Amino acid sequence: MSSYKKINLMKGYATSLADNPCINLCGNVVVGGNGSCKYCGRTQEQITHWQTYPVMVKKLINLENYDKHASRQR
């Protein structure tokens, strides 16, 4: 792992699209019967099973939620 990536990880910055988008502020709300976090945008199922998802699935989830939730994740 590069020193750049290590420093960013220590600071809590994302270094990959597959990184966990959690900012430790859970705000689960029910929208149309689907509970999702208002900060990261992930559903309860995605939060629970995040570590088991392949990298590509994590990236797709993060890209899908980026427009709505990126400003809250900074």
Side-chain angles (χ1 to χ4, degrees), residues 11-24:
K11 290 181 178 180
Y13 298 149
T15 59
S16 166
L17 275 175
D19 285 352
N20 187 332
C22 182
I23 58 170
N24 296 318

Side-chain angles (χ1 to χ4, degrees), residues 29-50:
V29 294
V30 176
V31 178
N34 180 21
S36 63
C37 178
K38 66 182 178 180
Y39 294 101
C40 72
R42 295 179 298 161
T43 65
Q44 185 62 48
E45 180 180 342
Q46 291 169 340
I47 293 168
T48 303
H49 301 291
W50 188 258

Side-chain angles (χ1 to χ4, degrees), residues 1-13 15:
M1 181 182 306
S2 72
S3 58
Y4 173 75
K5 186 168 184 171
K6 287 179 188 176
I7 291 169
N8 281 332
L9 286 172
M10 288 189 303
K11 290 181 178 180
Y13 298 149
T15 59

Side-chain angles (χ1 to χ4, degrees), residues 14 25 35 38-39 51-52 60 64:
L25 291 173
K38 66 182 178 180
Y39 294 101
Q51 295 304 318
T52 63
L60 290 171
E64 183 179 299

Side-chain angles (χ1 to χ4, degrees), residues 16-18 50 53-63:
S16 166
L17 275 175
W50 188 258
Y53 289 152
V55 170
M56 185 56 69
V57 172
K58 292 177 185 180
K59 289 179 180 182
L60 290 171
I61 291 168
N62 284 334
L63 286 172

